[in-house]
Amino acid sequence: MERVIFNEDHHAFRASAKEYCDRSLVPRMDQFLEEKTIDRAAWLEAGKQGFLGLDVPEEYGGSSVGDYRFNQVFAEEVSKVSASLSSCFGIHYDCAAPYFVDLGTEEQKQRWLPKFCSGEYVAAIGMTEPSGGSDLAALKTTAKKADGGWVLNGSKTFITNGDMADLVIVAARTDPSKGAKGITLFVVEEGMEGFARGRKLDKVGQTESGTSELFFEDLFVADDNVLGEIDRGFIHMMERLAQERIGAAVSNIAHATQILDETIEYVKQRKAFGQSVGSFQYNKFLIAELVTKVEVTQAYVDNGVVAHDEDRLSAVDAAKTKWWSAHVQNEVLDACVQLHGGYGYMNEYRVARAWRDARVTKIWAGSNEIMKELIGRDLGL
């Protein structure tokens, strides 16, 4: 079914994004897999092409397009290459950017955003803690007031881009007596004394992304690095979760669609019992169901993107797109592995890596169970 939300500018931008992926990402995937990270050259090239500053005003080095569909197009093209790369770039240009643009002071924007847009600085968001998971209100990392700043102590885990981030937006508890209303955001910079990175985490999938632990030990952060208002960090995070979740949905369905397309070509060519595997009635019906389900989900996600672009996407509707797209993505990719037979379980096949990469999407950006809880509450249950 034809997608109708894009115009000529979006199509031209997609061509540029695809060219970047084909030139700068696809030929180096083996390197990224081996090193478990995206090297700085790929970031710098993305910055040079203008992909990292889509939400950043021009005076700070971005393009400030004011149209979330451009974010969507770039995420879709990168997701076709790798779910890992999409998550790394997405955390930077799609999740972290609104924090800096919306909450940063003029001095902070001048200091950080030009290099953020160029790829010289890579950003990460430090919310998740070893004991917290999706419960952002239960943070244990603390920040105590000191002369001219704050002293941070604590740790974060499962941090995408954590292995190389130059700027980390860290949520810390500044007033334990206030619960969720006593959390503040800080920007921790590479090289600060007391800031240490742990090991790159050995994940089931998404090998290319440098996911790490972060540690803060008596780390002094100046008042100039407070992002937003004191004790309003939880609210700041909640206000920006809708974009994170619709962004996750965009990547989820683009990733599933690409691998399904590749699987359809595979079953047309693969022979068994004297005919193509795809011609067996069961497989034919299964693929018909998968294609329809993907297209229906794409239409739903596209509708969410338009709603977000018009500033009318609710937190509940964002939760719906996030959980459903992750559910469909995993269902589709599991079927694609089955359709590949034994080869679908081999790491040399993209379908196997994609299957592993997708599993986490039902957990991060708020687990699917949390999303359903939000929806249920909205229904008065």
Side-chain angles (χ1 to χ4, degrees), residues 287-299:
I287 292 169
E289 292 174 5
L290 296 176
V291 167
T292 304
K293 188 169 290 188
V294 162
E295 291 189 6
V296 169
T297 303
Q298 184 68 73

Side-chain angles (χ1 to χ4, degrees), residues 189-221:
E189 300 183 62
E190 165 66 13
M192 285 183 169
E193 186 176 354
F195 172 40
R197 307 173 198 272
R199 61 193 173 92
K200 289 183 183 179
L201 299 175
D202 185 16
K203 307 185 297 295
V204 170
Q206 302 228 5
T207 307
E208 308 95 303
S209 64
T211 308
S212 301
E213 302 165 312
L214 303 178
F215 300 97
F216 319 106
E217 184 175 358
D218 294 331
L219 168 63
F220 178 78
V221 180

Side-chain angles (χ1 to χ4, degrees), residues 167-377:
L167 306 171
V168 184
I169 300 170
V170 176
R173 189 169 298 283
T174 43
D175 190 338
S177 68
K178 294 183 178 179
K181 296 181 180 179
I183 294 171
T184 302
L185 303 180
F186 300 86
V187 178
V188 172
E189 300 183 62
E190 165 66 13
M192 285 183 169
E193 186 176 354
F195 172 40
R197 307 173 198 272
R199 61 193 173 92
K200 289 183 183 179
L201 299 175
D202 185 16
K203 307 185 297 295
V204 170
Q206 302 228 5
T207 307
E208 308 95 303
S209 64
T211 308
S212 301
E213 302 165 312
L214 303 178
F215 300 97
F216 319 106
E217 184 175 358
D218 294 331
L219 168 63
F220 178 78
V221 180
D223 287 328
D224 289 344
N225 279 42
V226 173
L227 191 61
E229 298 179 46
I230 300 295
D231 292 340
R232 286 182 59 84
F234 185 77
I235 294 173
H236 293 327
M237 290 187 287
M238 292 301 101
E239 290 173 340
R240 284 152 191 84
L241 278 177
Q243 177 153 320
E244 179 180 355
R245 287 168 179 164
I246 191 66
V250 165
S251 296
N252 293 347
I253 198 62
H255 182 234
T257 300
Q258 177 64 27
I259 301 303
L260 178 57
D261 288 346
E262 294 177 15
T263 299
I264 291 171
E265 291 306 310
Y266 176 83
V267 297
K268 287 178 180 178
Q269 303 300 323
R270 178 71 174 174
K271 303 291 184 181
F273 304 103
Q275 62 186 99
S276 68
V277 171
S279 67
F280 297 143
Q281 187 182 66
Y282 175 83
N283 290 343
K284 187 186 299 181
F285 283 11
L286 172 62
I287 292 169
E289 292 174 5
L290 296 176
V291 167
T292 304
K293 188 169 290 188
V294 162
E295 291 189 6
V296 169
T297 303
Q298 184 68 73
Y300 187 59
V301 171
D302 284 350
N303 190 55
V305 167
V306 172
H308 180 58
D309 202 40
E310 297 175 353
D311 198 27
R312 55 181 177 81
L313 179 69
S314 69
V316 172
D317 286 342
K320 292 174 184 175
T321 62
K322 187 274 172 185
W323 94 260
W324 179 251
S325 65
H327 171 77
V328 170
Q329 176 191 27
N330 277 268
E331 181 181 9
V332 167
L333 293 178
D334 190 74
C336 288
V337 167
Q338 193 73 16
L339 287 164
H340 276 76
Y343 291 106
Y345 206 63
M346 299 295 106
N347 282 327
E348 64 189 275
Y349 278 72
R350 265 170 55 87
V351 67
R353 300 195 300 272
W355 176 60
R356 296 199 320 269
D357 290 348
R359 184 58 182 83
V360 73
T361 66
K362 297 199 287 186
I363 299 172
W364 68 13
S367 69
N368 278 11
E369 291 76 18
I370 294 293
M371 299 301 97
K372 294 174 187 178
E373 176 70 19
L374 294 175
I375 298 164
R377 288 179 188 176

Side-chain angles (χ1 to χ4, degrees), residues 90-102:
I91 286 292
H92 180 91
Y93 82 91
D94 200 46
C95 296
Y99 283 90
F100 291 117
V101 173
D102 299 343

